[in-house]
């Protein structure tokens, strides 16, 4: 027994260095970044580049400027870009990945060959993908030339350099829009709880959801972030970046889905077919419901990749192009090019918060499930 | 024995390492040959020192400056680095106490008597002289191909009004009236337009803080700028400055406003003859004004090979060094005793203008406006685009940048 | 019925081939561009085959990228091996020597692999500068080892969970201690786990850009930084970036094609539970 506990101690001691290092490099550094984000580091150029800079505490000022300052226009567009990019990137990768997985699951010849082709972009660096697609998307060459080989006129879309913007809204509406989206999610959860006959839970979510919706419709517009309207929207220049990102990552979702499809017992499908279900109905009623968990996992993984997207845009459009920029890129530019470290730190903290909102519930639920198992 | 060998090798390597000079700069590709020539001059005079050519490419040094600042912050300064003379040098590096005073070198080499006094003023504070200028470029130049203009039946516009008049004519021909490149070239165009709209007096007052950016004159500059942007190519943001120049050379665009390194590019790389292969004029409404920028080399505190760096600076400021470097680079020498016979037709013209013209400083190229101001000035451009080219909004944004980051000396 | 089946069969293959074209199109364009003479590269004829296959771009690209490739190789190999060793040890402890609080410690560790690295970049930069590791490869290696710990630990932990506890119990009865069990039972069973982890880490580190661009000076920059620099620099002549992209992509592609099976296992493991 004593032997065992000594070994147990050894075990913990062996793990300890990693734990300490991670505690410092992850949590300690996050704390330090948080601290920097509350200072004025970088506003005074003499301090920004000094050997040992003097920092002053400025509270939430940096954050306030990001969301409501006249000059932080780019940050706000970056956030909007990021939201649109994330949505289309996830939908595109899941959709294409699922389609490819279903095609491959139909027992085709040369499956391994096709699988290799679909997945290889995942092995590439985003920098490589970006460099390649930048060439693909030159307005007067690449993809735009393809229609001419079918006898059609050349494509005219300016891809990465387009300045067109669609689905425009006023930045001042963001609080009410956010409230609306959260309300819809809450009501959806309430609906799910109702179906599972958990009336108490359903009632709670419904009340909060309705309250938010009401606030969004009535009180929300009273919140003025900016003293003037600021039009934001979806920059069409992002389409090219989204295509390249989907090109790179849909093989990954294909692999996830394929593994998942292979895990569905053939008897289940057979039973459905015996009951007279058509091919499509088998998917609709038997296969898709079983893909729920892997879809969620894939969404989380893709979502956090998307929130951190940096190198792909750098290589495709260059770090200076505001129309395709995202907060991860802006943070780098602010901190390491402009030496406005406090601003950079504040952007980084916003980014961290967004990632945490996605990841923490996921980690919590999947590990809790594991313990229960 | 083995150990001894290892020690010997280590010593040998450190000796080799010690006898180099790391020159940090952003002249690569088409701008590389000029520096190569300067390096050759250096290696002739100091054969025992190897030049470590640390080039970081990317438009107008935008990328290089980021790398440099990170290195300086990281406590790893190069031996010497390229820096624009003027506020970029003073308000970035001198105020942060990162540079060594070079007054001693200027005295030893007698540069105080042979270098342009206007230029010396740009690199000096009451505490000292902080870098060695190697060239003088002009920012406000408009480029074209004379043959093409003839073919389209247009004249070189002397004013922006004249330009805006011929703009539809050119567009009807399927020609881009004014070619433009990535973000920094837009700021480059802006400074020439602002100079045109405001005149040299008011333009200069911007950088002393005497005139706010959102004054009526400032707003007017943005209005004119917006009209001019209507005459530019839609794919601008994807092009380097050379590619924007190529558009003019290839006959796809009529004009391009760029610093006179474009002449170096067309003369040295594209092998076009000044005057016939390409033509030039002061950018509209700025005849008689020379918007100056100058590259220089400085000596950072803590340079690992300080003596070698000083040797490099000696060569950079010497007559032989400057008259080797500049004709290839497409710039004129800061030295007043430079031999103009070595320079091509464009540069002789530029040198004549420099001697008589009114001088103002370039924002994009660091002569005026602190680095943080310039970096954040791009935000004003973003605001301009975001608001559908609202001149008032952009001017207010520019002024807000000036208030937040300070504008100049 | 049979005709309908045949039709869907054709449709399936048709769609697969269209998808393949989408995935291979860029490869084709990269190859034809890399093998053209610079003067032959024009936007309008981008998809045409080279009139003459021209190797010189690779010679030039090799000159431009050999330092970057060498740096990347040193970086990826060293950081991969160290983080794999540490991950194996950590995974062994976490799966076979459960201790109170492990359920809290493990998710806290895992969180480290999801954070946007921007949120630690400024302090990391300061730290590396203060210990004199900024600018060179050693600093970047340390960085990749540290931030690689969560994923390598996770993969090994899940891998070792499959080893029956009875085997270790048997070892304990034979008198083996912590290290003995690891050396005699766990490690020999880990080969597949190591292959998965090494492939995963090597690919990730080879392809990484943010740390590389922030923490190295140009002489120590890995290939991704060198490629981004060349492609983003002035007057892009597309043969060089394309040849460079091929050089930068080859190592990870070769690994993927040879060891694809393990590669897929690695990426499945990347989703926490797999």
């Amino acid at each position: 027994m004593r032997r065992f506990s000594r070994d147990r101690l050894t075990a913990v001691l062996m793990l300890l260095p990693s734990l300490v290092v991670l505690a410092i490099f992850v949590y300690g550094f996050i704390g330090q970044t948080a601290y920097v984000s509350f200072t004025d580091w970088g506003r005074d150029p003499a301090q920004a580049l000094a050997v040992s800079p003097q920092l002053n505490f400025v509270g939430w000022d940096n954050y306030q400027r990001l969301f409501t300052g006249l000059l932080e226009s780019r940050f706000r567009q970056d956030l909007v870009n990021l939201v649109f990019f994330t949505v289309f990137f996830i939908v595109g990768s899941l959709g294409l990945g699922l389609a490819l997985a279903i095609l491959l699951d139909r027992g085709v010849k040369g499956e391994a060959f096709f699988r290799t082709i679909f997945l290889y972009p995942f092995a590439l660096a985003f920098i490589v993908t970006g460099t390649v697609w930048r060439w693909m998307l030159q307005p007067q060459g690449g993809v735009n030339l393809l229609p001419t080989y079918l006898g059609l006129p050349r494509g005219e879309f300016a891809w990465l350099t387009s300045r067109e913007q669609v689905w425009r809204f006023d930045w001042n509406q963001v609080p009410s829009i956010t409230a609306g989206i959260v309300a819809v999610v809450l009501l959806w959860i309430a609906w799910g709880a109702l179906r599972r006959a958990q009336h108490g839970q359903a009632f709670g979510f419904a009340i909060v959801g309705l309250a938010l919706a009401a606030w969004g419709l009535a009180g929300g517009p009273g919140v003025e972030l900016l003293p003037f309207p600021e039009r934001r929207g979806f920059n069409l220049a992002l389409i090219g970046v989204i295509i390249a990102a989907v090109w790179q990552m849909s093989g990954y979702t294909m692999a996830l889905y394929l593994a998942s499809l292979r895990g569905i017992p053939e008897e289940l499908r057979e039973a459905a077919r015996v009951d007279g279900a058509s091919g499509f109905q088998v998917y609709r009623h038997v296969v898709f419901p079983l893909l729920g968990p892997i879809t969620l996992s894939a969404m989380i993984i893709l979502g956090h990749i998307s929130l951190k997207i940096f190198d792909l845009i750098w290589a495709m459009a260059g770090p200076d192009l505001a129309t395709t920029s995202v907060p991860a890129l802006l943070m780098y530019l602010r901190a390491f090019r402009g030496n406005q470290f406090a601003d950079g730190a504040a952007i980084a903290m916003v980014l961290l918060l967004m990632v945490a909102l996605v990841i923490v519930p996921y980690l919590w639920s999947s590990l809790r499930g594991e313990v229960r198992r | 024995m083995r150990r001894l060998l290892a020690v010997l090798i280590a010593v040998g390597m450190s000796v080799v390492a010690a006898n180099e000079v790391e020159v940090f700069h952003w002249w690569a590709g088409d701008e590389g040959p000029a520096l190569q020539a300067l390096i050759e001059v250096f290696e002739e005079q100091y054969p025992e020192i190897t030049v470590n050519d640390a080039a970081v490419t990317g438009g107008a040094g935008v990328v290089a400056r980021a790398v440099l600042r990170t290195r300086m912050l990281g406590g790893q300064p190069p031996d010497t680095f390229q820096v624009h003379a003027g506020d970029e040098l003073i308000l970035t590096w001198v105020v942060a106490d990162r540079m060594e005073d070079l007054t001693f070198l200027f005295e030893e080499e007698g540069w105080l008597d042979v270098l342009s006094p206007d230029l010396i003023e740009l690199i000096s504070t009451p505490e000292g002289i902080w870098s060695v200028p190697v060239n003088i470029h002009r920012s406000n130049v408009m480029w074209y191909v004379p043959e093409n203009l003839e073919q389209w039946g247009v004249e070189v516009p002397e004013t922006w009004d004249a330009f805006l008049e011929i703009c539809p004519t050119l567009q009807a021909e399927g020609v881009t009236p004014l070619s433009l490149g990535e973000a920094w070239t837009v700021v480059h165009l802006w400074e020439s337009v602002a100079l045109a709209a405001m005149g040299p007096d008011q333009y200069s007052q911007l950088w002393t803080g005497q005139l706010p950016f959102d004054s009526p004159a400032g707003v007017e500059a943005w209005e004119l700028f917006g009209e001019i942007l209507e005459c530019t190519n839609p794919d601008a943001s994807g092009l380097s400055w050379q590619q924007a120049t190529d558009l003019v050379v290839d006959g796809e665009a009529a004009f391009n406003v760029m610093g006179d390194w474009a002449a170096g590019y067309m003369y040295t790389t594209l092998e076009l003859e000044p005057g016939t292969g390409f033509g030039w004029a002061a950018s509209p409404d700025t005849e008689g004004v020379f918007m100056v920028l100058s590259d220089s080399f400085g000596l950072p505190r803590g340079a690992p090979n300080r003596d070698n760096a000083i040797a490099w600076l000696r060569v950079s400021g010497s007559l032989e060094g400057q008259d080797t470097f500049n004709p290839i680079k497409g710039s004129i020498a800061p030295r007043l005793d430079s031999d103009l016979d070595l320079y091509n037709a464009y540069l002789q013209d530029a040198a004549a203008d420099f001697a008589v013209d009114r001088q103002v400083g370039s924002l994009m190229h660091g002569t005026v406006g602190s680095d943080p101001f310039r970096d954040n000035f791009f935000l004003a451009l973003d605001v301009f685009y975001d608001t559908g080219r609202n001149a008032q909004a952009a001017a207010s944004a520019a002024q807000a940048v000036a208030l937040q980051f300070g504008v100049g000396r | 019925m049979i005709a309908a089946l045949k039709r869907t069969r054709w449709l399936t293959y048709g769609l697969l081939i269209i998808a393949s074209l989408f995935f291979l199109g860029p490869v084709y364009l990269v190859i034809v561009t890399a093998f053209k003479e610079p003067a032959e590269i024009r936007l309008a004829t981008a998809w045409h085959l080279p009139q003459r296959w021209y190797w010189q771009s690779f010679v030039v690209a090799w000159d431009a990228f050999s330092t970057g490739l060498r740096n990347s190789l040193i970086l990826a190999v060293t950081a991969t091996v160290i983080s794999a060793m540490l991950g194996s040890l950590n995974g062994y402890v976490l799966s076979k020597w459960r201790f109170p609080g492990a359920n809290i410690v493990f998710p806290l560790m895992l969180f480290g692999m999801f954070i946007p690295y921007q949120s630690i970049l400024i302090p990391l930069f300061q730290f590396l500068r203060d210990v004199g590791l900024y600018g060179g490869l050693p600093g970047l290696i340390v960085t990749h080892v540290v931030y690689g710990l969560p994923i390598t630990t996770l993969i090994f932990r899940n891998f070792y969970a499959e080893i029956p506890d009875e085997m270790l119990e048997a070892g304990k009865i034979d008198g083996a201690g912590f290290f003995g069990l690891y050396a005699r039972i766990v490690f020999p069973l880990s080969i597949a786990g190591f292959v998965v982890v090494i492939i995963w880490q090597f690919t990730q580190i080879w392809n990484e850009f943010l740390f590389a661009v922030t923490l190295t000076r140009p002489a120590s920059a890995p290939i991704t930084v060198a490629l981004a620099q060349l492609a983003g620099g002035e007057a892009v002549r597309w043969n060089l970036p394309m040849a460079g992209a091929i050089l930068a992509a080859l190592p990870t592609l070769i690994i993927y094609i040879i060891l694809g099976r393990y590669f897929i296992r690695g990426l499945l493991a990347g989703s926490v539970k797999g």
Side-chain angles (χ1 to χ4, degrees), chain B residues 356-369:
Chain B
V356 296
D357 278 0
R358 166 82 186 267
Q359 292 176 20
V360 296
S362 158
L363 161 66
M364 184 56 226
H365 307 284
T367 319
V368 292

Side-chain angles (χ1 to χ4, degrees), chain B residues 60-319:
Chain B
V62 174
V63 184
R65 279 195 294 275
V67 174
L68 174 67
R69 286 185 210 166
T70 314
R71 281 188 58 177
M72 294 285 277
L73 279 168
Q76 302 230 340
D79 294 316
T80 178
F81 61 83
Q82 177 186 3
V83 59
H84 285 130
D87 289 357
E88 178 178 312
L89 167 71
I90 305 297
L91 296 179
T92 311
W93 299 113
V94 177
V95 292
D97 197 23
R98 292 295 192 126
M99 306 303 289
E100 282 198 40
D101 179 10
L102 297 174
T103 310
F104 75 94
L105 195 61
F106 275 69
E107 281 165 359
E108 279 175 34
E109 297 285 323
W111 289 340
L112 290 168
D113 306 318
V114 292
L115 282 175
S116 154
D118 297 320
L119 219 46
I120 292 184
E121 199 186 309
L122 281 178
I123 52 172
S124 304
T125 62
E127 289 75 37
I129 307 176
W130 303 99
S131 72
V132 179
V134 291
N135 66 8
I136 294 170
H137 273 301
R138 182 176 193 176
S139 159
N140 59 325
V141 191
M142 185 176 230
W143 308 94
Y144 56 89
V145 176
E147 236 172 71
N148 291 345
L149 294 194
E150 241 166 73
Q151 193 190 324
W152 299 318
V154 295
E155 301 268 306
V156 180
E158 283 181 16
T159 64
W160 283 114
D161 286 344
F163 171 80
L164 291 172
E165 241 164 67
I166 59 172
C167 169
T169 323
L170 288 164
Q171 279 171 331
E173 293 259 0
V175 175
T176 300
L178 186 70
S179 73
L180 198 61
E182 56 189 314
W184 73 263
T185 69
V186 181
V187 176
H188 184 101
L189 174 65
W190 183 89
E191 66 187 22
S192 280
V193 172
L195 175 62
M198 309 173 81
D201 290 328
Q202 285 190 320
Y203 175 82
S204 299
Q205 284 172 357
L206 289 176
W207 313 111
T208 52
Q210 285 164 290
L211 185 73
F213 284 80
D214 55 355
S215 62
V219 177
E220 238 170 74
W222 282 99
E223 272 164 7
L224 176 60
F225 186 60
E227 289 174 52
I228 294 167
L229 283 186
E230 297 289 336
C231 303
T232 58
N233 44 321
D235 61 344
S237 56
L239 304 182
S240 65
W241 71 263
Q242 289 98 327
Q243 286 170 315
T245 309
D246 289 345
L247 290 181
V248 175
V249 173
D250 296 344
E252 287 176 48
F255 301 101
N256 174 239
V257 171
M258 185 39 61
D260 56 10
W261 45 95
Y265 170 63
M266 289 186 276
Y267 177 72
T268 310
T269 309
L270 303 182
E271 296 176 353
L272 298 173
E273 208 44 52
T276 51
F278 65 93
W280 64 89
S283 66
D285 292 309
T286 65
E287 185 63 47
V289 186
F290 195 107
M291 195 181 284
V292 188
L293 65 110
S294 163
D295 294 295
S296 66
F297 284 107
L299 178 62
R301 284 187 197 282
N305 305 296
R306 185 172 176 276
D307 291 343
N308 294 353
I310 291 172
W312 172 262
L313 296 178
R314 279 187 212 280
V315 174
S316 303
S318 70
L319 184 62

